[in-house]
Amino acid sequence: MDGEFVVTRRVHFSETDRAGVLYFAHYYRFMEETEHAFRRSLGLPIITEADGREATWPRVATSCEYFAPAHFDDELELALRIVEMGDRSITYEVEFRREGRRIAKGRMTAVYCTTANGEFQSATIPESLRQTLEGAMNSS
Amino acid sequence: MDGEFVVTRRVHFSETDRAGVLYFAHYYRFMEETEHAFRRSLGLPIITEADGREATWPRVATSCEYFAPAHFDDELELALRIVEMGDRSITYEVEFRREGRRIAKGRMTAVYCTTANGEFQSATIPESLRQTLEGAMNSS
Amino acid sequence: MDGEFVVTRRVHFSETDRAGVLYFAHYYRFMEETEHAFRRSLGLPIITEADGREATWPRVATSCEYFAPAHFDDELELALRIVEMGDRSITYEVEFRREGRRIAKGRMTAVYCTTANGEFQSATIPESLRQTLEGAMNSS
Amino acid sequence: MDGEFVVTRRVHFSETDRAGVLYFAHYYRFMEETEHAFRRSLGLPIITEADGREATWPRVATSCEYFAPAHFDDELELALRIVEMGDRSITYEVEFRREGRRIAKGRMTAVYCTTANGEFQSATIPESLRQTLEGAMNSS
């Protein structure tokens, strides 16, 4: 799985902190936005249904390493790859780059779940969905 | 280093998402708030000065595992421990509990730096600061 | 209606921006937190039910004037008053103070609604709820 | 001043709340992003300098009316107009539309200031900056 999916995303004023840099927790929002742009690029809806309930992907593990700060108005490149895919979960890696130089790297593992009233029930990723995700990454 | 420092923190409406749960990136804000409450409890200012510049603690690595969702208005217990301390960095672990049950666990490694104009320069943690941090954890 | 309900709320690091002050949009989150603390103080649940649906209070109008900046770690006093109450709506005013001095003033008008799937239907505020809200403000 | 400047902006998952809609405070972030895109479109830097200090535009008054909810993944049109311009301040109005239909309308008044250490000093808007802003709005 060598392909990567890249979007650019500007750092907004509201996302900086008093140290003058992109606040560390917001990197996770950037990662999720990249994941959603990736799914949108495949024609995959982000909210789906399964067994008459809404299906969604709550995160079970996330992490990020920060190599250099990002600043207001920086236009970052966010490069997403699928690094692992299980029966019920998927792990993405997102590299943050500025003018081609890596400034951060994050990971998210999300589990396919049906949901109602703020509770989740994990389920097997539907075969067609899995194939689309895997196919896109291999061919990009 | 066995002691832990505990605060309670309610989940605000603005911190929930359309799945009805505490949005995953906000856990990192909760961790930092706990760190700051810990420092405040020791009488340590959070923003200090060194060599005529502001000293601060940018994060170089963060991670979180999510075991069960948190919901609006939940009153969470956030239990912080120092798990590692180097010459220039400190690693905190924060356990998220609801009614005593662990629902998430996170880590942050922060580096002691002087800062100006959104750039950071790492430095050795001043000895008195280190002793206060270590002492508090051992005696709690 | 002369009474006011006051809470204190610290400005977190994540809520500052690169200008070194509390980011202007976050004042609205502070207002809502004050409203929720007010309702909690009355023993009123924030999420209720009506006609088998969840009842909630979406905002239809909000505003804020900013007189002086707030900074990281400031402990603000948030003083809430009900300034208007209709059959279906309520208007709160929240004054932001630091050491007794007013630094901002905001307003929120919220409409009592039942909700499902991200859509709202306005409804008449239940009589007992209205009486509790009005009574608390008059007697405080 | 009839012209308007329009950008589109998608509602992210992180910006929704447990009622399933775009959280009301985030509308203000959308407005500011539109203002910054407008300035960028004119080739105007958002952060400038004056008298050896950084110049910026803190908000002194903001407001928003909400006519219909916005939802996750909605692609909103944000239409900005300058509605007033004083010697030291500017007032923007931003209309939020979805498929051409107005769903919210907000205002922000910002004051031209020089800033240092989280404090602001208002100043007269430089003539060339004023002319660029006015010219752009009239000719669009």
Side-chain angles (χ1 to χ4, degrees):
Chain A
M1 214 171 280
D2 275 76
E4 62 178 32
F5 171 79
V6 183
V7 292
T8 60
R9 166 69 153 81
R10 207 177 272 279
V11 176
H12 298 310
F13 195 93
S14 63
E15 297 165 338
T16 59
D17 63 29
R18 72 183 294 292
V21 301
L22 174 56
Y23 182 67
F24 80 100
H26 293 317
Y27 286 72
Y28 291 97
R29 296 175 41 240
F30 281 48
M31 290 185 217
E32 189 183 63
E33 290 177 25
T34 310
E35 173 197 353
H36 289 174
F38 167 60
R39 296 185 57 167
R40 221 178 275 122
S41 75
L42 301 178
L44 291 174
I46 294 158
I47 309 295
T48 53
E49 290 211 356
D51 306 328
R53 309 209 320 168
E54 199 168 288
T56 185
W57 295 84
R59 271 96 251 268
V60 294
T62 60
S63 62
C64 192
E65 292 169 273
Y66 311 84
F67 309 117
H71 301 95
F72 170 56
D73 226 23
D74 279 356
E75 199 163 64
L76 304 183
E77 302 118 44
L78 306 170
L80 175 145
R81 291 188 313 125
I82 297 175
V83 289
E84 209 180 312
M85 202 154 176
D87 285 345
R88 294 165 177 259
S89 70
I90 187 166
T91 300
Y92 296 101
E93 190 175 278
V94 178
E95 211 168 87
F96 293 68
R97 300 174 193 144
R98 186 178 43 217
E99 298 175 5
R101 179 181 161 227
R102 189 179 70 164
I103 60 166
K105 188 177 70 173
R107 277 195 179 215
M108 303 183 294
T109 299
V111 172
Y112 183 75
C113 284
T114 61
T115 181
N117 303 318
E119 299 300 336
F120 301 101
Q121 179 62 49
S122 78
T124 303
I125 301 171
E127 194 51 33
S128 64
L129 177 52
R130 168 197 304 281
Q131 285 177 5
T132 305
L133 288 166
E134 290 183 342
M137 292 312 293
N138 289 322
S139 66
S140 64
Chain B
M1 214 171 282
D2 276 75
E4 61 178 33
F5 170 79
V6 183
V7 292
T8 59
R9 167 70 154 81
R10 208 177 271 279
V11 176
H12 298 310
F13 196 94
S14 62
E15 297 165 338
T16 58
D17 64 28
R18 72 183 295 291
V21 301
L22 174 56
Y23 182 67
F24 80 99
H26 293 317
Y27 285 71
Y28 291 97
R29 294 175 43 238
F30 282 47
M31 289 185 218
E32 190 183 61
E33 290 178 25
T34 309
E35 174 197 354
H36 289 175
F38 167 61
R39 296 185 58 167
R40 222 178 275 122
S41 75
L42 301 177
L44 292 174
I46 294 157
I47 308 295
T48 53
E49 290 212 355
D51 305 328
R53 309 210 318 169
E54 200 169 286
T56 186
W57 295 85
R59 273 94 250 270
V60 293
T62 59
S63 62
C64 192
E65 293 170 272
Y66 311 84
F67 309 118
H71 301 96
F72 171 54
D73 227 21
D74 278 356
E75 200 164 62
L76 304 183
E77 300 119 44
L78 306 170
L80 173 144
R81 291 187 315 125
I82 298 175
V83 290
E84 211 179 310
M85 201 153 176
D87 285 345
R88 295 165 177 258
S89 71
I90 188 166
T91 300
Y92 296 102
E93 189 175 279
V94 179
E95 210 169 87
F96 293 68
R97 300 175 193 142
R98 187 178 41 216
E99 297 174 6
R101 179 183 160 226
R102 188 178 69 164
I103 61 165
K105 189 177 69 173
R107 276 193 179 219
M108 301 183 295
T109 299
V111 172
Y112 182 75
C113 284
T114 61
T115 180
N117 303 319
E119 299 300 335
F120 301 101
Q121 180 63 47
S122 77
T124 304
I125 301 172
E127 194 51 33
S128 65
L129 177 52
R130 167 196 304 283
Q131 284 177 6
T132 305
L133 288 167
E134 290 182 341
M137 292 313 291
N138 290 323
S139 67
S140 63
Chain C
M1 213 170 283
D2 275 78
E4 61 177 34
F5 171 80
V6 182
V7 293
T8 59
R9 167 69 153 82
R10 208 177 271 280
V11 175
H12 298 309
F13 195 94
S14 63
E15 296 165 339
T16 59
D17 63 29
R18 73 184 293 292
V21 301
L22 174 56
Y23 182 67
F24 79 100
H26 293 317
Y27 285 72
Y28 291 96
R29 294 175 42 239
F30 281 47
M31 291 185 217
E32 189 182 64
E33 289 178 26
T34 310
E35 173 197 354
H36 289 174
F38 168 60
R39 296 185 58 167
R40 222 177 275 124
S41 75
L42 301 178
L44 291 174
I46 293 157
I47 308 295
T48 52
E49 290 213 354
D51 306 328
R53 309 210 318 169
E54 200 168 287
T56 187
W57 296 85
R59 274 94 249 270
V60 294
T62 59
S63 63
C64 193
E65 292 170 273
Y66 312 83
F67 308 118
H71 301 96
F72 171 54
D73 226 22
D74 280 356
E75 199 163 64
L76 305 183
E77 302 117 44
L78 306 169
L80 174 144
R81 291 187 314 124
I82 297 175
V83 290
E84 211 180 309
M85 201 153 175
D87 285 344
R88 294 165 178 259
S89 70
I90 189 166
T91 300
Y92 296 102
E93 190 174 279
V94 179
E95 211 169 87
F96 293 68
R97 300 175 193 143
R98 186 180 41 216
E99 297 174 7
R101 179 183 160 227
R102 188 179 70 163
I103 60 166
K105 188 178 71 173
R107 275 193 179 218
M108 302 183 294
T109 299
V111 172
Y112 182 76
C113 285
T114 60
T115 181
N117 303 318
E119 299 300 336
F120 301 102
Q121 180 62 48
S122 78
T124 303
I125 301 171
E127 194 50 34
S128 64
L129 177 51
R130 167 196 304 281
Q131 284 176 6
T132 305
L133 288 167
E134 290 182 341
M137 291 311 292
N138 289 323
S139 67
S140 66
Chain D
M1 213 172 282
D2 275 76
E4 61 177 34
F5 171 79
V6 183
V7 293
T8 59
R9 167 69 153 80
R10 208 176 272 279
V11 176
H12 299 309
F13 195 93
S14 63
E15 297 166 337
T16 59
D17 64 28
R18 70 183 296 291
V21 301
L22 174 55
Y23 182 67
F24 79 99
H26 293 317
Y27 286 72
Y28 291 96
R29 294 175 42 239
F30 281 48
M31 290 184 217
E32 189 182 63
E33 290 178 24
T34 309
E35 173 198 353
H36 289 174
F38 167 60
R39 296 186 58 167
R40 220 177 276 121
S41 75
L42 301 177
L44 291 174
I46 294 158
I47 309 295
T48 53
E49 290 212 354
D51 306 327
R53 308 209 319 168
E54 198 168 289
T56 185
W57 296 85
R59 273 96 249 269
V60 294
T62 59
S63 63
C64 192
E65 293 170 271
Y66 311 83
F67 308 118
H71 301 95
F72 170 56
D73 226 22
D74 279 356
E75 200 164 62
L76 304 183
E77 301 118 44
L78 305 169
L80 174 143
R81 290 188 314 125
I82 297 175
V83 289
E84 210 180 311
M85 202 154 176
D87 284 346
R88 294 165 177 258
S89 70
I90 189 166
T91 300
Y92 296 102
E93 189 175 278
V94 178
E95 211 169 87
F96 293 68
R97 301 175 193 143
R98 188 179 39 218
E99 297 174 6
R101 178 180 162 230
R102 190 178 70 164
I103 60 166
K105 187 178 71 174
R107 275 194 180 217
M108 302 183 294
T109 299
V111 171
Y112 182 75
C113 284
T114 61
T115 181
N117 303 319
E119 299 301 334
F120 301 101
Q121 179 62 49
S122 78
T124 304
I125 302 171
E127 194 51 34
S128 64
L129 177 51
R130 168 197 304 282
Q131 284 177 7
T132 307
L133 288 167
E134 290 183 341
M137 292 312 292
N138 290 322
S139 66
S140 66

